[in-house]
Amino acid sequence: MKKALLAAFLLAASLSLYARTERVSGPDGRLTFALDDTGGKPTYTVSLDGVPFLEPSPLGLKTNVGDYTEGLSLSGFTVEPVQDDYSVPNIKTSTVHYRANKAVYSFDKNGKPALDVIVQVSANDIAFRYRVYAPRRDTRVCRVWEEATGYVFPKGTKGFLSKQMPPMAGFARTTPSYETTYDGDQPLGQNGDGFGYVFPALFRTGDKGWVLVSETGVNGRYCGSRLEGRPDGSYRIAYPLEEEANGNGTAAPGINTPGYTPWRTITVGETLKPITETTVAWDVVEPLYEPSIDYEGSRGSWSWILKMDANTTYPVQLQYIDLSAAMGWETILVDALWDTQIGRENMEKIAAYAKEKGVRLFVWYNSNGYWNDAPQGPHGRMDNIIERRKEMAWLRSIGAKGIKVDFFGSDKQQTLQLYEDILADANDFGLQCVFHGCTLPRGWERMYPNFASAEAVLASENLYFSQGRCDTEAQQAAMHPFIRNTVASMDFGGSTLNKVYNPENDPSKRGSVRRTSDVFALATAILFQSPVQHFAITPENLTDAPGWALDFMKQVPTRWDEVRFLDGYPGKYAILARRCGSRWYICGINADKKTLKVKLDLPMLSKGELTVYADDSSLKGSCRTETFKGGAFTVEIPCNGGVVLVQ
Ligand code: CA
């Protein structure tokens, strides 16, 4: 007994004796990650210009080959600069010049290599991941039971968070699917509905600034993670729930040893500018295969959003092909139930008709499978490699541009593998992929060149389903540029010009009433970034919507070279500038009851003609040409209204 006490004392003494703190900063020295191994339990802090944004927060993993959360001693520390100049046409910034310092913190346990913490720090972003070692040489795999990685914010920090949905709930037991609201100014110490929060999560630290927490580089080699809120106000990384995916597949990810976990990302800014402009989701990942063709951006229409299941029919799809052709758009999306309501033979006729009109098809599939009850077909085509590749060969033969696969509803490793399998197969057949009822894409635009976009948001369908969602449309829209949409493309499927969410656009008939203006609809076409867009415009809108709005939607780009944050506050208002080639689009929306009047500094514009889309106080929109004299430009946006400036 005495011996054991002495040994414990000596161990504690040696751990404290060798306690070290090592720091790594971004190339400009402002953002700093500091790691400390006091007591054998590593913690990290994050500061910007010496101001703390994360207080000592835990690191480590518990695995079946070792508990790497304690008894660790820092045995090595190296720092080297890294840089990467890369192009991804599908994200907010087509060309990125990434500059960072990379640190490797090596930890031993019982004298053997246990864990490396690999950290990359750029001007405003930190990305870190673990490399896991096994204590025995003949051990080549391990399971990770839990992750100690945590986030301890300074007191008074508020969260802008979206609750993790419960497993096997919601429509046809298809959750979790990231289809809940973002709620602003949430105090620390809560845990959503008991399941935590999804990535990304935004935090405001008093008047000091903002922190965006997310993860990237997640594929079939790991699960997707979430944030668990603790009563002490901290957050921890948590893995999927056992019940997800109908209980199939492990909740604890399996990896090789040595092997890596995904990157945990932390973006820090005094303002929302670094949050809005961050490219960290793509900076630290690599393309996993070469594109088989040159994948393009596209605009398209889809009948389902205003006409629902009953209208996925042959004649209605022809009307939408005509609509897309009239708008100069590249695609239509043939949504659920085409297998039974249209049939393959007629799908081939639809594709041939579309081809004549210069339009191509995105075709909907159910991801199932045996993981939820979603009834819409086609089923059993995307869940296994044999049927999937047959189906994709057929899609290529009819000239389809891509697929939309729906109803995944789990972040388990096996579900992440399914996304990857679908993407990799689709690339072999030159097809782009859009996912709905799905997880947050985590670096996928760069990892998979044919990945186009994903829902993972309370999207336009909810405006159809609920007046309450229409009433708060602007608040949610003013969240996305700073949270969900800043880390990944977002297929919102909106920009509605209907007054009412019913097929006839008839206010005397049942349907939720749109509260937002037509200029708001135009502004969100720019504000919401997705290289493949499906707009909620109907054939009837060609005659019942204002000509200036249709003309705008005819020329709206979907791929961007640059983004700049101009002003905003999550949930209240958002004003951004996006550049496509030499053309700038400045877009703004306002959810605040008070009309927003803001003087914008617009150094990116030249003196001369500026096209202005704006609302009057009754949300009536118009388009006019003004002369931009240089310097500042004042815009006014009423509640639920928008503004767009084009030059
Ligand atoms: Ca959905």
Side-chain angles (χ1 to χ4, degrees), residues 151-228:
Y151 308 86
V152 178
F153 292 96
K155 258 207 182 88
T157 296
K158 297 280 173 67
F160 293 71
L161 304 166
S162 180
K163 290 172 185 168
Q164 168 85 10
M165 303 166 92
M168 300 302 287
F171 172 73
R173 301 197 296 161
T174 56
T175 64
S177 54
Y178 294 67
E179 292 172 285
T180 51
T181 54
Y182 266 95
D183 304 315
D185 286 312
Q186 300 292 302
L188 304 179
Q190 302 180 30
N191 191 35
D193 291 331
F195 310 102
Y197 304 95
V198 300
F199 286 126
L202 179 66
F203 297 89
R204 181 173 62 92
T205 302
D207 53 7
K208 288 182 202 149
W210 300 86
V211 181
L212 184 75
V213 175
S214 194
E215 65 171 343
T216 192
V218 186
N219 62 1
R221 289 177 188 81
Y222 218 79
C223 62
S225 298
R226 66 199 154 89
L227 277 182
E228 189 182 83

Side-chain angles (χ1 to χ4, degrees), residues 31 46-48 53-54 92 120-128 151 153 200-205 209-216 264-283 482-483 486-487:
L31 182 65
V46 171
S47 58
L48 183 68
F53 278 85
L54 282 177
K92 64 178 97 168
Q120 293 190 190
V121 187
S122 55
N124 289 92
D125 299 297
I126 292 168
F128 66 91
Y151 308 86
F153 292 96
L202 179 66
F203 297 89
R204 181 173 62 92
T205 302
W210 300 86
V211 181
L212 184 75
V213 175
S214 194
E215 65 171 343
T216 192
R264 312 280 164 230
T265 66
I266 301 167
T267 304
V268 186
E270 288 162 337
T271 68
L272 287 165
K273 184 177 166 66
I275 307 293
T276 316
E277 298 176 11
T278 182
T279 54
V280 69
W282 307 283
D283 292 339
F482 312 119
I483 317 176
T486 194
V487 301

Side-chain angles (χ1 to χ4, degrees), residues 7 48 113 152 198 308 311 315 326 342 356 380 394 434 451 553 608 647:
L48 183 68
V152 178
V198 300
M308 294 279 134
N311 282 296
I342 296 174
E356 269 175 42
W394 174 72
V434 173
F451 168 73
M553 293 305 294
Q647 187 185 59

Side-chain angles (χ1 to χ4, degrees), residues 97-98 145 148 286 293 316 341 370 443 479 493 636:
H97 305 287
Y98 177 66
W145 300 129
E286 302 253 297
I293 60 162
V316 173
Q341 296 179 178
Y370 48 82
M479 293 278 186
E636 278 190 45

